[in-house]
PDB file of all heavy atoms in Angstrom:
ATOM      1  N   LEU A   4     150.521  97.846  72.997  1.00 95.00           N
ATOM      2  CA  LEU A   4     149.420  97.841  73.952  1.00 95.00           C
ATOM      3  C   LEU A   4     148.579  99.096  73.744  1.00 95.00           C
ATOM      4  O   LEU A   4     149.111 100.213  73.682  1.00 95.00           O
ATOM      5  CB  LEU A   4     149.946  97.818  75.393  1.00 95.00           C
ATOM      6  CG  LEU A   4     150.482  96.488  75.920  1.00 95.00           C
ATOM      7  CD1 LEU A   4     150.975  96.658  77.345  1.00 95.00           C
ATOM      8  CD2 LEU A   4     149.428  95.386  75.853  1.00 95.00           C
ATOM      9  N   ALA A   5     147.255  98.933  73.633  1.00 95.00           N
ATOM     10  CA  ALA A   5     146.357 100.063  73.449  1.00 95.00           C
ATOM     11  C   ALA A   5     145.028  99.765  74.139  1.00 95.00           C
ATOM     12  O   ALA A   5     144.701  98.612  74.429  1.00 95.00           O
ATOM     13  CB  ALA A   5     146.151 100.350  71.967  1.00 95.00           C
ATOM     14  N   ARG A   6     144.265 100.828  74.372  1.00 93.00           N
ATOM     15  CA  ARG A   6     143.021 100.715  75.126  1.00 93.00           C
ATOM     16  C   ARG A   6     141.824 100.823  74.177  1.00 93.00           C
ATOM     17  O   ARG A   6     141.665 101.834  73.482  1.00 93.00           O
ATOM     18  CB  ARG A   6     142.976 101.831  76.170  1.00 93.00           C
ATOM     19  CG  ARG A   6     142.016 101.608  77.306  1.00 93.00           C
ATOM     20  CD  ARG A   6     142.150 102.715  78.350  1.00 93.00           C
ATOM     21  NE  ARG A   6     143.449 102.710  78.998  1.00 93.00           N
ATOM     22  CZ  ARG A   6     143.815 101.872  79.968  1.00 93.00           C
ATOM     23  NH1 ARG A   6     142.964 100.954  80.393  1.00 93.00           N
ATOM     24  NH2 ARG A   6     145.015 101.949  80.512  1.00 93.00           N
ATOM     25  N   GLY A   7     141.016  99.773  74.100  1.00 90.00           N
ATOM     26  CA  GLY A   7     139.871  99.757  73.215  1.00 90.00           C
ATOM     27  C   GLY A   7     138.717 100.617  73.715  1.00 90.00           C
ATOM     28  O   GLY A   7     138.687 101.022  74.886  1.00 90.00           O
ATOM     29  N   ASP A   8     137.752 100.882  72.837  1.00 86.00           N
ATOM     30  CA  ASP A   8     136.560 101.659  73.213  1.00 86.00           C
ATOM     31  C   ASP A   8     135.834 100.987  74.367  1.00 86.00           C
ATOM     32  O   ASP A   8     135.553  99.785  74.339  1.00 86.00           O
ATOM     33  CB  ASP A   8     135.587 101.751  72.020  1.00 86.00           C
ATOM     34  CG  ASP A   8     136.023 102.817  71.034  1.00 86.00           C
ATOM     35  OD1 ASP A   8     136.841 103.671  71.415  1.00 86.00           O
ATOM     36  OD2 ASP A   8     135.537 102.791  69.884  1.00 86.00           O
ATOM     37  N   GLY A   9     135.537 101.769  75.383  1.00 81.00           N
ATOM     38  CA  GLY A   9     134.738 101.254  76.492  1.00 81.00           C
ATOM     39  C   GLY A   9     135.484 100.326  77.433  1.00 81.00           C
ATOM     40  O   GLY A   9     134.862  99.715  78.317  1.00 81.00           O
ATOM     41  N   SER A  10     136.775 100.176  77.261  1.00 84.00           N
ATOM     42  CA  SER A  10     137.537  99.262  78.135  1.00 84.00           C
ATOM     43  C   SER A  10     137.730  99.897  79.505  1.00 84.00           C
ATOM     44  O   SER A  10     137.658 101.115  79.669  1.00 84.00           O
ATOM     45  CB  SER A  10     138.889  98.928  77.510  1.00 84.00           C
ATOM     46  OG  SER A  10     139.681 100.098  77.384  1.00 84.00           O
ATOM     47  N   SER A  11     138.003  99.067  80.490  1.00 85.00           N
ATOM     48  CA  SER A  11     138.190  99.544  81.859  1.00 85.00           C
ATOM     49  C   SER A  11     139.515 100.255  82.006  1.00 85.00           C
ATOM     50  O   SER A  11     140.407 100.146  81.162  1.00 85.00           O
ATOM     51  CB  SER A  11     138.114  98.358  82.823  1.00 85.00           C
ATOM     52  OG  SER A  11     139.140  97.424  82.528  1.00 85.00           O
ATOM     53  N   SER A  12     139.667 100.981  83.088  1.00 83.00           N
ATOM     54  CA  SER A  12     140.924 101.658  83.373  1.00 83.00           C
ATOM     55  C   SER A  12     141.943 100.648  83.899  1.00 83.00           C
ATOM     56  O   SER A  12     141.608  99.506  84.216  1.00 83.00           O
ATOM     57  CB  SER A  12     140.706 102.770  84.402  1.00 83.00           C
ATOM     58  OG  SER A  12     140.204 102.215  85.611  1.00 83.00           O
ATOM     59  N   GLY A  13     143.195 101.103  84.003  1.00 85.00           N
ATOM     60  CA  GLY A  13     144.244 100.233  84.530  1.00 85.00           C
ATOM     61  C   GLY A  13     144.722  99.221  83.505  1.00 85.00           C
ATOM     62  O   GLY A  13     144.333  99.252  82.330  1.00 85.00           O
ATOM     63  N   THR A  14     145.543  98.297  83.951  1.00 86.00           N
ATOM     64  CA  THR A  14     146.165  97.332  83.030  1.00 86.00           C
ATOM     65  C   THR A  14     145.151  96.375  82.419  1.00 86.00           C
ATOM     66  O   THR A  14     145.343  95.899  81.300  1.00 86.00           O
ATOM     67  CB  THR A  14     147.251  96.522  83.751  1.00 86.00           C
ATOM     68  OG1 THR A  14     146.673  95.876  84.895  1.00 86.00           O
ATOM     69  CG2 THR A  14     148.408  97.410  84.201  1.00 86.00           C
ATOM     70  N   LYS A  15     144.046  96.097  83.124  1.00 88.00           N
ATOM     71  CA  LYS A  15     143.082  95.121  82.619  1.00 88.00           C
ATOM     72  C   LYS A  15     142.334  95.619  81.386  1.00 88.00           C
ATOM     73  O   LYS A  15     141.722  94.818  80.666  1.00 88.00           O
ATOM     74  CB  LYS A  15     142.096  94.739  83.721  1.00 88.00           C
ATOM     75  CG  LYS A  15     142.741  93.940  84.844  1.00 88.00           C
ATOM     76  CD  LYS A  15     141.738  93.513  85.898  1.00 88.00           C
ATOM     77  CE  LYS A  15     142.412  92.699  86.995  1.00 88.00           C
ATOM     78  NZ  LYS A  15     141.456  92.279  88.056  1.00 88.00           N
ATOM     79  N   GLY A  16     142.394  96.922  81.127  1.00 91.00           N
ATOM     80  CA  GLY A  16     141.719  97.463  79.958  1.00 91.00           C
ATOM     81  C   GLY A  16     142.591  97.538  78.728  1.00 91.00           C
ATOM     82  O   GLY A  16     142.181  98.082  77.694  1.00 91.00           O
ATOM     83  N   LEU A  17     143.797  96.974  78.781  1.00 94.00           N
ATOM     84  CA  LEU A  17     144.737  97.045  77.664  1.00 94.00           C
ATOM     85  C   LEU A  17     144.646  95.798  76.793  1.00 94.00           C
ATOM     86  O   LEU A  17     144.598  94.674  77.295  1.00 94.00           O
ATOM     87  CB  LEU A  17     146.171  97.201  78.182  1.00 94.00           C
ATOM     88  CG  LEU A  17     146.460  98.504  78.939  1.00 94.00           C
ATOM     89  CD1 LEU A  17     147.848  98.452  79.563  1.00 94.00           C
ATOM     90  CD2 LEU A  17     146.341  99.710  78.017  1.00 94.00           C
ATOM     91  N   SER A  18     144.629  96.031  75.473  1.00 95.00           N
ATOM     92  CA  SER A  18     144.636  94.937  74.505  1.00 95.00           C
ATOM     93  C   SER A  18     145.948  94.977  73.730  1.00 95.00           C
ATOM     94  O   SER A  18     146.628  96.003  73.671  1.00 95.00           O
ATOM     95  CB  SER A  18     143.461  95.072  73.535  1.00 95.00           C
ATOM     96  OG  SER A  18     142.227  95.082  74.222  1.00 95.00           O
ATOM     97  N   LEU A  19     146.286  93.841  73.121  1.00 97.00           N
ATOM     98  CA  LEU A  19     147.533  93.729  72.369  1.00 97.00           C
ATOM     99  C   LEU A  19     147.230  93.743  70.868  1.00 97.00           C
ATOM    100  O   LEU A  19     146.325  93.039  70.400  1.00 97.00           O
ATOM    101  CB  LEU A  19     148.264  92.439  72.739  1.00 97.00           C
ATOM    102  CG  LEU A  19     149.603  92.199  72.048  1.00 97.00           C
ATOM    103  CD1 LEU A  19     150.632  93.252  72.445  1.00 97.00           C
ATOM    104  CD2 LEU A  19     150.138  90.799  72.375  1.00 97.00           C
ATOM    105  N   PHE A  20     148.009  94.531  70.127  1.00 98.00           N
ATOM    106  CA  PHE A  20     147.810  94.656  68.687  1.00 98.00           C
ATOM    107  C   PHE A  20     149.128  94.476  67.939  1.00 98.00           C
ATOM    108  O   PHE A  20     150.188  94.891  68.424  1.00 98.00           O
ATOM    109  CB  PHE A  20     147.233  96.036  68.353  1.00 98.00           C
ATOM    110  CG  PHE A  20     145.886  96.294  68.941  1.00 98.00           C
ATOM    111  CD1 PHE A  20     145.758  96.857  70.208  1.00 98.00           C
ATOM    112  CD2 PHE A  20     144.738  95.943  68.248  1.00 98.00           C
ATOM    113  CE1 PHE A  20     144.507  97.089  70.765  1.00 98.00           C
ATOM    114  CE2 PHE A  20     143.484  96.168  68.799  1.00 98.00           C
ATOM    115  CZ  PHE A  20     143.367  96.743  70.064  1.00 98.00           C
ATOM    116  N   ALA A  21     149.027  93.858  66.760  1.00 98.00           N
ATOM    117  CA  ALA A  21     150.150  93.800  65.823  1.00 98.00           C
ATOM    118  C   ALA A  21     149.980  94.957  64.839  1.00 98.00           C
ATOM    119  O   ALA A  21     148.966  95.042  64.142  1.00 98.00           O
ATOM    120  CB  ALA A  21     150.169  92.471  65.084  1.00 98.00           C
ATOM    121  N   VAL A  22     150.978  95.837  64.801  1.00 98.00           N
ATOM    122  CA  VAL A  22     150.884  97.041  63.981  1.00 98.00           C
ATOM    123  C   VAL A  22     152.019  97.030  62.953  1.00 98.00           C
ATOM    124  O   VAL A  22     153.187  97.162  63.315  1.00 98.00           O
ATOM    125  CB  VAL A  22     150.990  98.315  64.846  1.00 98.00           C
ATOM    126  CG1 VAL A  22     150.822  99.568  63.982  1.00 98.00           C
ATOM    127  CG2 VAL A  22     149.959  98.287  65.968  1.00 98.00           C
ATOM    128  N   PRO A  23     151.701  96.859  61.666  1.00 98.00           N
ATOM    129  CA  PRO A  23     152.766  96.912  60.652  1.00 98.00           C
ATOM    130  C   PRO A  23     153.307  98.338  60.536  1.00 98.00           C
ATOM    131  O   PRO A  23     152.551  99.306  60.650  1.00 98.00           O
ATOM    132  CB  PRO A  23     152.044  96.491  59.362  1.00 98.00           C
ATOM    133  CG  PRO A  23     150.609  96.809  59.595  1.00 98.00           C
ATOM    134  CD  PRO A  23     150.370  96.624  61.077  1.00 98.00           C
ATOM    135  N   TRP A  24     154.619  98.448  60.317  1.00 97.00           N
ATOM    136  CA  TRP A  24     155.201  99.778  60.196  1.00 97.00           C
ATOM    137  C   TRP A  24     154.768 100.428  58.885  1.00 97.00           C
ATOM    138  O   TRP A  24     154.518 101.631  58.843  1.00 97.00           O
ATOM    139  CB  TRP A  24     156.725  99.689  60.272  1.00 97.00           C
ATOM    140  CG  TRP A  24     157.346 101.040  60.547  1.00 97.00           C
ATOM    141  CD1 TRP A  24     157.846 101.932  59.646  1.00 97.00           C
ATOM    142  CD2 TRP A  24     157.478 101.659  61.828  1.00 97.00           C
ATOM    143  NE1 TRP A  24     158.294 103.068  60.276  1.00 97.00           N
ATOM    144  CE2 TRP A  24     158.081 102.925  61.619  1.00 97.00           C
ATOM    145  CE3 TRP A  24     157.150 101.269  63.128  1.00 97.00           C
ATOM    146  CZ2 TRP A  24     158.378 103.804  62.660  1.00 97.00           C
ATOM    147  CZ3 TRP A  24     157.437 102.146  64.171  1.00 97.00           C
ATOM    148  CH2 TRP A  24     158.042 103.395  63.928  1.00 97.00           C
ATOM    149  N   ARG A  25     154.664  99.635  57.847  1.00 97.00           N
ATOM    150  CA  ARG A  25     154.233 100.144  56.535  1.00 97.00           C
ATOM    151  C   ARG A  25     153.056  99.327  56.022  1.00 97.00           C
ATOM    152  O   ARG A  25     152.892  98.158  56.383  1.00 97.00           O
ATOM    153  CB  ARG A  25     155.392 100.103  55.527  1.00 97.00           C
ATOM    154  CG  ARG A  25     156.546 101.030  55.909  1.00 97.00           C
ATOM    155  CD  ARG A  25     157.633 101.095  54.843  1.00 97.00           C
ATOM    156  NE  ARG A  25     158.683 102.010  55.263  1.00 97.00           N
ATOM    157  CZ  ARG A  25     158.656 103.326  55.065  1.00 97.00           C
ATOM    158  NH1 ARG A  25     157.632 103.864  54.420  1.00 97.00           N
ATOM    159  NH2 ARG A  25     159.638 104.100  55.482  1.00 97.00           N
ATOM    160  N   LEU A  26     152.253  99.945  55.181  1.00 96.00           N
ATOM    161  CA  LEU A  26     151.123  99.272  54.567  1.00 96.00           C
ATOM    162  C   LEU A  26     151.559  98.522  53.311  1.00 96.00           C
ATOM    163  O   LEU A  26     152.729  98.598  52.908  1.00 96.00           O
ATOM    164  CB  LEU A  26     150.038 100.299  54.229  1.00 96.00           C
ATOM    165  CG  LEU A  26     149.455 101.054  55.436  1.00 96.00           C
ATOM    166  CD1 LEU A  26     148.495 102.146  54.978  1.00 96.00           C
ATOM    167  CD2 LEU A  26     148.769 100.092  56.405  1.00 96.00           C
ATOM    168  N   GLU A  27     150.634  97.807  52.696  1.00 93.00           N
ATOM    169  CA  GLU A  27     150.970  96.945  51.560  1.00 93.00           C
ATOM    170  C   GLU A  27     151.625  97.717  50.416  1.00 93.00           C
ATOM    171  O   GLU A  27     152.491  97.200  49.708  1.00 93.00           O
ATOM    172  CB  GLU A  27     149.706  96.242  51.046  1.00 93.00           C
ATOM    173  CG  GLU A  27     149.183  95.142  51.968  1.00 93.00           C
ATOM    174  CD  GLU A  27     148.343  95.681  53.113  1.00 93.00           C
ATOM    175  OE1 GLU A  27     148.246  96.930  53.247  1.00 93.00           O
ATOM    176  OE2 GLU A  27     147.784  94.883  53.887  1.00 93.00           O
ATOM    177  N   GLY A  28     151.272  98.983  50.234  1.00 93.00           N
ATOM    178  CA  GLY A  28     151.847  99.782  49.156  1.00 93.00           C
ATOM    179  C   GLY A  28     153.184 100.403  49.493  1.00 93.00           C
ATOM    180  O   GLY A  28     153.782 101.091  48.651  1.00 93.00           O
ATOM    181  N   GLY A  29     153.663 100.199  50.709  1.00 93.00           N
ATOM    182  CA  GLY A  29     154.965 100.723  51.105  1.00 93.00           C
ATOM    183  C   GLY A  29     154.917 102.024  51.870  1.00 93.00           C
ATOM    184  O   GLY A  29     155.933 102.482  52.416  1.00 93.00           O
ATOM    185  N   GLU A  30     153.727 102.663  51.963  1.00 96.00           N
ATOM    186  CA  GLU A  30     153.626 103.931  52.675  1.00 96.00           C
ATOM    187  C   GLU A  30     153.558 103.689  54.193  1.00 96.00           C
ATOM    188  O   GLU A  30     153.144 102.625  54.649  1.00 96.00           O
ATOM    189  CB  GLU A  30     152.408 104.718  52.199  1.00 96.00           C
ATOM    190  CG  GLU A  30     151.064 104.095  52.526  1.00 96.00           C
ATOM    191  CD  GLU A  30     150.561 103.123  51.465  1.00 96.00           C
ATOM    192  OE1 GLU A  30     151.398 102.574  50.715  1.00 96.00           O
ATOM    193  OE2 GLU A  30     149.331 102.907  51.399  1.00 96.00           O
ATOM    194  N   LEU A  31     153.960 104.701  54.961  1.00 97.00           N
ATOM    195  CA  LEU A  31     153.910 104.597  56.417  1.00 97.00           C
ATOM    196  C   LEU A  31     152.480 104.363  56.880  1.00 97.00           C
ATOM    197  O   LEU A  31     151.529 104.928  56.322  1.00 97.00           O
ATOM    198  CB  LEU A  31     154.454 105.873  57.062  1.00 97.00           C
ATOM    199  CG  LEU A  31     155.977 106.070  57.066  1.00 97.00           C
ATOM    200  CD1 LEU A  31     156.333 107.459  57.566  1.00 97.00           C
ATOM    201  CD2 LEU A  31     156.651 105.011  57.927  1.00 97.00           C
ATOM    202  N   ASN A  32     152.353 103.560  57.920  1.00 98.00           N
ATOM    203  CA  ASN A  32     151.046 103.167  58.442  1.00 98.00           C
ATOM    204  C   ASN A  32     150.575 104.159  59.515  1.00 98.00           C
ATOM    205  O   ASN A  32     150.408 103.798  60.677  1.00 98.00           O
ATOM    206  CB  ASN A  32     151.136 101.744  59.011  1.00 98.00           C
ATOM    207  CG  ASN A  32     149.818 101.271  59.601  1.00 98.00           C
ATOM    208  OD1 ASN A  32     148.750 101.762  59.257  1.00 98.00           O
ATOM    209  ND2 ASN A  32     149.907 100.310  60.509  1.00 98.00           N
ATOM    210  N   GLY A  33     150.396 105.416  59.124  1.00 97.00           N
ATOM    211  CA  GLY A  33     149.924 106.410  60.095  1.00 97.00           C
ATOM    212  C   GLY A  33     150.883 106.590  61.252  1.00 97.00           C
ATOM    213  O   GLY A  33     150.469 106.881  62.383  1.00 97.00           O
ATOM    214  N   ILE A  34     152.177 106.413  60.992  1.00 97.00           N
ATOM    215  CA  ILE A  34     153.193 106.458  62.042  1.00 97.00           C
ATOM    216  C   ILE A  34     154.162 107.600  61.771  1.00 97.00           C
ATOM    217  O   ILE A  34     154.614 107.798  60.638  1.00 97.00           O
ATOM    218  CB  ILE A  34     153.969 105.122  62.113  1.00 97.00           C
ATOM    219  CG1 ILE A  34     153.014 103.965  62.449  1.00 97.00           C
ATOM    220  CG2 ILE A  34     155.080 105.202  63.157  1.00 97.00           C
ATOM    221  CD1 ILE A  34     153.657 102.602  62.379  1.00 97.00           C
ATOM    222  N   SER A  35     154.489 108.326  62.811  1.00 97.00           N
ATOM    223  CA  SER A  35     155.461 109.414  62.714  1.00 97.00           C
ATOM    224  C   SER A  35     156.436 109.320  63.877  1.00 97.00           C
ATOM    225  O   SER A  35     156.030 109.023  65.006  1.00 97.00           O
ATOM    226  CB  SER A  35     154.743 110.770  62.742  1.00 97.00           C
ATOM    227  OG  SER A  35     155.670 111.839  62.736  1.00 97.00           O
TER     228      SER A  35
END
C-alpha cells in the first residue's frame, strides 16, 4: 500500500502496488 501524488489523506488515498523483490537482471529492486 502506498500513497500516490496528489492523493487524499487517510485510507482512501492509498493505492495497491505489486512490487517485485528483484529486477529482471537479479539485482535488488531498490529495497533494503
Side-chain angles (χ1 to χ4, degrees):
L4 284 179
R6 199 175 295 282
D8 280 343
S10 63
S11 61
S12 60
T14 56
K15 292 183 179 179
L17 295 172
S18 302
L19 181 65
F20 297 89
V22 183
W24 196 265
R25 296 186 179 274
L26 298 174
E27 288 82 355
E30 66 271 24
L31 284 172
N32 179 23
I34 299 173
S35 176

